[in-house]
Amino acid sequence: MKTSNNISDKPEKDDFGLDFIRKIIVEDIRTNKNEGRVHTRFPPEPNGWMHIGHAMAIYLSYSVAQEYNGLFNLRFDDTDPSKESMDYVEAIKEDVQWLGAEWEDRLYFASDYFEKLYEFAVALIKAGKAFICDLSVEEIREQRGTLTEPGVNSPYRNRSAEENFDFFTRMREGEFEDGSKVLRAKIDMTSPNLLMRDPIMYRIKRVSHYRTGTEWIIYPSYDFTHGESDAIEGITHSLCSLEFETHRPLYDWFIDELLALGTLKHKPRQIEFSRLNVTYTITSKRRLLELVKGEYVSGWDDPRMPTIAGMRKRGFPASAIRTFLGRVGVTKREKNIDVGLLEACVRDELDKEANRVLAVLNPLRVVITNYPEDQVEHLEIPNHPKDESRGTRKVPFSRVLYIEQEDFMEDPPKKFYRLTPGREVRLRNAYFITCTDVKKDESGKILEVHCTYDPNTRGGSSPDGRKVKATIHWLSRDHALKAEIRLYDRLFNREDPLGLLDYNSDSLKSIIGYVEPSLKEAKPATHYQFERVGYFFADPEEFTKKKLVINRTITLRDTWARIKKQLPQPKKKKQKIKK
RNA sequence: AGCCCCAUAGUGUAGUGGUUAGCACCUCAGGCUCUGAAUCUGAAGACUCCAGUUCGAAUCUGGAUGGGGCUGCCA
């Protein structure tokens, strides 16, 4: 760290392309502010689940610290005991860790600073900067004024420092009722910023705190805790979302006063960035709670939820979330990111990571009529077509197979080039087969399809160089394993969902599908690509050898589905053409 | 209504007085392919407006317009 500081010969434009926060940091380092240190923090309140928006805050603060050789703290902002719990602390730690943000030994709690905060408050009281106010909640609200009218001074505003100190001591000792007195900062009741109108610093709350128990009955407010905690920890850049912008003058006021009194020695800088909104998702705690309470989802970690726990269970890799966040960037504009971008990042990552296997979601029986009745072959199939080092596995092949229902059409449209009567296609990594016959029941429902195979195409290529237009996936019927497959889709069917009203009732379809035998050896929490179908994830908790529970993370990009949509509608029923 | 913040393709972002205004996702067309995947090539697509400063403005200044935030003893 003790490098020579030749500030002058630093190239000026090395901050090109950086976001505005990193520019500030680069400049601060250049001018040796905070002795060139960078120290950030993520300050969740342990009263709820972390979601994609929090992920952005975590990732930003952490990666900024990383990039500039700084430190990153995890600090729980636990000043409202009525809603907080240790369970949330543990869940949040897991989420933060999973995302890849490391706090090392710097795990802190604002509640550890209660004594210090109390002393800070006393210092402010003694300096005449804070007073005990006996007004009720309603009276304080009335006297605060409105957006356009100034507030009026509390009648208790001019109590002497001694009296204030005495009251504050007795507040702590439990002499007064909850709500009967508060400690307020003495700032300016006419400020156009409502937060500066003598804001509350301490309130009496006889609620047991999940960490400090009944030790305290007075608790500091967010505004009087957050900045002070930052200062105590030596935070240099306190990054938060835009809604705290109007709090900044107050953040600064407390610290400046404490600095002037010599109580504090360090001043962090709060910088606000716009929060992340994603299409087809909601992050409002209240709205999400409705889904949980109404059992529209299985819980806060339901794979459809935008929570970090939900995305984890869904099978979104942390690295995909990180690249997503990186692509989104940091600004102060309101953003509404296309969920497609997140999905693209997930596919991108999984294409590299996931081994390929064969699975059939909706089976259609295929009989290879020229294949010997009792024969079983074990075909060697690569685990990843782009990565030989991942090796191969054996997949059984026999006379009776399953293929995907939608890979066969008796009377196909022009652009359909999968299996159809008379046509030859390839079974992935197996054989060329030609459809010879279609068996139906009396009602016309297709029961099975008869095909012949070409023994010379073993492995999937023909010696005569003959081409087929399509390759489809398959499974040997007698060897296929049943699996509970949960097909997840977007939780809402509206780009800008309001809540329950836009709930997508098709967002989960649980089906029994078939997978190749190798899946029996799968470990929970591993990613697979079901070839031609999508990316799937062995459920971290529920997947066992006996019961294969598999979540669909995301479908493959499906060009055929789009072509199909553009095709003239088959005239089964009269359909009203929308447009 | 008062104060504060924001404004570049559909979306997100780069651009810091001279650029054919760059990139990513999306969209469309095509190539390649044992995944209609991946990949490759190409196309379409933007500086909110009005004044001012300047030889020259997306960029600086002023105003307008549009969007967002703020009236918890929540964070």
Side-chain angles (χ1 to χ4, degrees):
Chain A
M1 289 300 282
K2 291 260 169 3
T3 53
S4 63
N5 270 313
N6 288 327
I7 293 169
S8 50
D9 57 32
K10 256 217 158 143
E12 270 301 331
K13 301 208 165 172
D14 58 356
D15 62 352
F16 245 62
L18 294 180
D19 60 67
F20 80 104
I21 289 179
R22 278 174 245 251
K23 280 188 183 121
I24 290 171
I25 290 175
V26 165
E27 178 63 9
D28 287 348
I29 291 171
R30 198 183 66 81
T31 59
N32 206 36
K33 191 179 174 185
N34 303 305
E35 300 82 46
R37 280 190 313 116
V38 174
H39 201 153
T40 60
R41 100 275 92 114
F42 176 62
E45 185 186 15
N47 74 345
W49 294 72
M50 299 292 100
H51 54 62
I52 182 78
H54 297 112
M56 155 127 204
I58 294 165
Y59 174 74
L60 208 216
S61 283
Y62 175 70
S63 53
V64 147
Q66 280 278 291
E67 287 161 30
Y68 300 100
N69 298 312
L71 299 171
F72 167 80
N73 294 1
L74 176 61
R75 177 177 74 236
F76 288 93
D77 237 337
D78 51 358
T79 57
D80 182 3
S82 54
K83 313 182 256 181
E84 298 158 0
S85 78
M86 209 60 199
D87 290 345
Y88 284 124
V89 169
E90 292 307 326
I92 290 168
K93 279 164 70 179
E94 190 183 349
D95 288 348
V96 173
Q97 204 155 34
W98 179 75
L99 267 180
E102 296 162 33
W103 60 86
E104 296 167 333
D105 59 344
R106 290 175 308 280
L107 171 66
Y108 300 119
F109 294 84
S111 51
D112 283 340
Y113 308 141
F114 280 170
E115 194 60 48
K116 268 188 190 154
L117 260 7
Y118 180 82
E119 286 163 21
F120 292 174
V122 168
L124 255 14
I125 289 169
K126 290 190 168 162
K129 299 292 186 180
F131 66 99
I132 302 294
C133 182
D134 297 1
L135 258 23
S136 69
V137 187
E138 298 75 35
E139 289 168 323
I140 288 180
R141 191 189 312 128
E142 281 161 23
Q143 298 197 356
R144 184 157 34 224
T146 66
L147 294 177
T148 48
E149 308 149 26
V152 299
N153 283 165
S154 162
Y156 305 99
R157 200 174 198 261
N158 290 319
R159 291 217 253 232
S160 69
E162 295 71 37
E163 196 180 358
N164 283 321
F165 177 60
D166 177 51
F167 276 132
F168 192 49
T169 311
R170 287 155 63 193
M171 265 170 72
R172 178 179 183 172
E173 282 162 1
E175 212 172 295
F176 309 112
E177 296 288 297
D178 283 20
S180 62
K181 280 183 168 46
V182 287
L183 179 68
R184 293 227 255 165
K186 200 187 283 187
I187 307 181
D188 179 7
M189 290 305 290
T190 68
S191 169
N193 182 346
L194 289 284
L195 284 156
M196 299 296 273
R197 323 245 259 225
D198 293 3
I200 276 115
M201 294 169 61
Y202 267 90
R203 67 274 204 199
I204 307 173
K205 240 182 196 184
R206 265 166 257 256
V207 176
S208 173
H209 188 280
Y210 75 101
R211 292 188 77 244
T212 60
T214 53
E215 187 186 342
W216 293 87
I217 63 162
I218 58 171
Y219 293 98
S221 64
Y222 163 82
D223 285 304
F224 187 60
T225 306
H226 191 81
E228 287 53 51
S229 302
D230 283 346
I232 289 168
E233 292 175 17
I235 300 301
T236 55
H237 303 268
S238 181
L239 314 181
C240 61
S241 49
L242 239 35
E243 66 256 41
F244 292 99
E245 206 156 24
T246 47
H247 292 250
R248 181 158 24 95
L250 184 51
Y251 181 102
D252 289 338
W253 188 89
F254 280 128
I255 292 174
D256 287 339
E257 293 298 337
L258 260 9
L259 239 31
L261 295 171
T263 312
L264 241 36
K265 283 181 270 335
H266 167 72
K267 181 170 182 179
R269 193 230 287 204
Q270 173 177 306
I271 306 171
E272 312 85 14
F273 57 88
S274 61
R275 49 179 297 164
L276 175 62
N277 299 296
V278 181
T279 59
Y280 295 98
T281 88
I282 264 178
T283 47
S284 151
K285 201 180 283 178
R286 213 188 96 230
R287 301 284 183 202
L288 257 18
L289 182 64
E290 287 174 358
L291 293 166
V292 175
K293 281 225 166 120
E295 294 182 358
Y296 292 88
V297 293
S298 63
W300 287 93
D301 64 345
D302 185 289
R304 290 165 288 177
M305 292 286 270
T307 52
I308 294 177
M311 294 189 287
R312 182 167 60 229
K313 194 169 161 71
R314 172 84 168 256
F316 286 12
S319 56
I321 296 173
R322 278 186 241 118
T323 57
F324 167 69
L325 264 7
R327 287 193 203 178
V328 165
V330 184
T331 59
K332 298 185 76 150
R333 321 176 200 162
E334 198 184 319
K335 38 177 128 257
N336 197 199
I337 314 282
D338 190 341
V339 72
L341 182 61
L342 210 207
E343 294 169 346
C345 294
V346 170
R347 289 192 182 104
D348 220 55
E349 181 65 29
L350 259 19
D351 177 48
K352 284 178 278 177
E353 284 309 309
N355 278 353
R356 316 278 121 132
V357 292
L358 295 172
V360 173
L361 268 28
N362 301 298
L364 170 63
R365 201 159 62 228
V366 170
V367 180
I368 310 295
T369 50
N370 60 341
Y371 195 88
E373 292 264 0
D374 305 321
Q375 186 172 317
V376 177
E377 284 179 86
H378 294 274
L379 301 168
E380 190 145 332
I381 298 184
N383 291 325
H384 193 122
K386 292 177 199 163
D387 184 0
E388 270 189 39
S389 72
R390 286 162 182 261
T392 60
R393 67 193 186 286
K394 304 261 190 190
V395 180
F397 184 92
S398 65
R399 189 170 197 265
V400 182
L401 307 172
Y402 284 148
I403 65 166
E404 207 71 66
Q405 277 170 26
E406 63 172 25
D407 284 341
F408 176 80
M409 276 184 105
E410 195 181 11
D411 184 19
K414 190 126 203 318
K415 289 184 175 170
F416 182 90
Y417 46 78
R418 274 110 96 146
L419 194 64
T420 191
R423 184 184 293 164
E424 183 172 54
V425 300
R426 170 170 35 235
L427 294 177
R428 175 80 165 154
N429 291 116
Y431 289 104
F432 284 13
I433 58 168
T434 305
C435 175
T436 54
D437 202 3
V438 182
K439 298 288 180 201
K440 303 181 199 174
D441 65 12
E442 314 78 56
S443 68
K445 187 174 171 260
I446 298 174
L447 294 177
E448 61 183 35
V449 172
H450 284 13
C451 297
T452 55
Y453 85 118
D454 176 354
N456 293 321
T457 56
R458 191 176 200 271
S461 47
S462 66
D464 61 7
R466 154 172 122 249
K467 299 276 185 204
V468 287
K469 192 79 171 138
T471 298
I472 63 175
H473 54 100
W474 56 276
L475 242 29
S476 167
R477 181 249 256 155
D478 292 336
H479 305 266
L481 262 29
K482 279 192 183 178
E484 178 175 335
I485 299 177
R486 296 171 182 167
L487 303 173
Y488 291 106
D489 205 340
R490 294 171 181 175
L491 230 198
F492 300 104
N493 45 32
R494 211 176 107 139
E495 192 173 316
D496 190 13
L498 301 168
L500 247 33
L501 282 175
D502 302 310
Y503 175 76
N504 174 12
S505 49
D506 288 332
S507 56
L508 168 59
K509 277 181 238 152
S510 192
I511 64 164
I512 300 296
Y514 295 87
V515 299
E516 62 169 67
S518 72
L519 264 291
K520 187 174 265 177
E521 305 309 319
K523 301 256 182 304
T526 77
H527 301 281
Y528 290 97
Q529 187 197 97
F530 289 1
E531 292 212 63
R532 304 208 316 128
V533 180
Y535 294 102
F536 290 75
F537 190 56
D539 192 284
E541 292 93 29
E542 298 170 69
F543 183 95
T544 62
K545 267 191 165 46
K546 291 219 174 70
K547 191 182 181 199
L548 314 181
V549 178
I550 301 173
N551 302 330
R552 181 171 71 194
T553 306
I554 189 84
T555 58
L556 247 33
R557 239 178 114 240
D558 191 352
T559 306
W560 167 239
R562 253 178 296 167
I563 296 170
K564 217 161 42 174
K565 257 186 222 162
Q566 290 166 2
L567 254 28
Q569 295 291 320
K571 286 177 188 168
K572 273 186 187 167
K573 306 164 221 163
K574 277 186 188 169
Q575 280 196 336
K576 283 176 192 168
I577 294 160
K578 287 177 213 165
K579 236 178 201 173

